[in-house]
Amino acid sequence: RRVHGTLSECLFFFARPAMPGEMLIFNVPEMEGLAVDLMGRGGYRRGSISWGTFPDGTPNVMIENGEAIRYQDVLFLSSFHDVGSWIAQLAVIYALPRFLARSCTVLLPFFPTGTMERVDHEG
């Protein structure tokens, strides 16, 4: 079955909680608009992540109120548009199950691929 519409309409259709109730949304700053759009549709509530860096440039990511994730259905709106942001987002993706989320759905709408031509030489 094909679903046509905006990304938020498709998510509203497919990203539903496993059990009745609200789904907890976390997002990277680039996906703020989509998170706000989903919140307006109802059935979702926001989680908060502080996206910082240490003075040496390494990620300093903090999931606020992590205990609220326990036994909740979680939706993480990510974006790998920038190679520098992958490590911080992967840290969040790995951490969500450790907070005992009932289910964890990750939306990755953009994943860059290599575009350089590759040449294989047999031998």
Side-chain angles (χ1 to χ4, degrees), residues 62-111:
M62 174 66 77
I63 298 175
E64 309 290 337
N65 196 15
E67 57 275 355
I69 297 173
R70 183 174 291 203
Y71 310 126
Q72 298 297 310
D73 296 300
V74 175
L75 173 62
F76 179 57
L77 305 175
S78 63
S79 174
F80 283 7
H81 73 285
D82 174 29
V83 175
S85 68
W86 292 13
I87 297 294
Q89 292 181 59
L90 285 174
V92 171
I93 291 168
Y94 290 150
L96 291 173
R98 284 190 232 133
F99 283 109
L100 301 177
R102 177 181 20 227
S103 69
C104 185
T105 302
V106 176
L107 171 71
L108 181 57
F110 178 76
F111 185 82

Side-chain angles (χ1 to χ4, degrees), residues 4 83 95 115:
H4 298 280
V83 175
T115 57

Side-chain angles (χ1 to χ4, degrees), residues 13-27:
F13 183 78
F14 287 110
R16 302 304 305 156
M19 303 289 285
E22 293 182 326
M23 186 171 245
L24 189 57
I25 297 178
F26 291 96
N27 62 284

Side-chain angles (χ1 to χ4, degrees), residues 2-69:
R2 291 187 67 169
V3 176
H4 298 280
T6 66
L7 183 56
S8 63
E9 289 169 345
C10 293
L11 273 175
F12 186 73
F13 183 78
F14 287 110
R16 302 304 305 156
M19 303 289 285
E22 293 182 326
M23 186 171 245
L24 189 57
I25 297 178
F26 291 96
N27 62 284
V28 294
E30 295 81 11
M31 299 297 282
E32 182 70 23
L34 181 57
V36 169
D37 189 27
L38 284 171
M39 291 295 297
R41 295 175 181 276
Y44 298 93
R45 60 190 173 92
R46 293 293 295 270
S48 178
I49 299 175
S50 64
W51 301 93
T53 56
F54 289 108
D56 67 354
T58 57
N60 180 11
V61 179
M62 174 66 77
I63 298 175
E64 309 290 337
N65 196 15
E67 57 275 355
I69 297 173

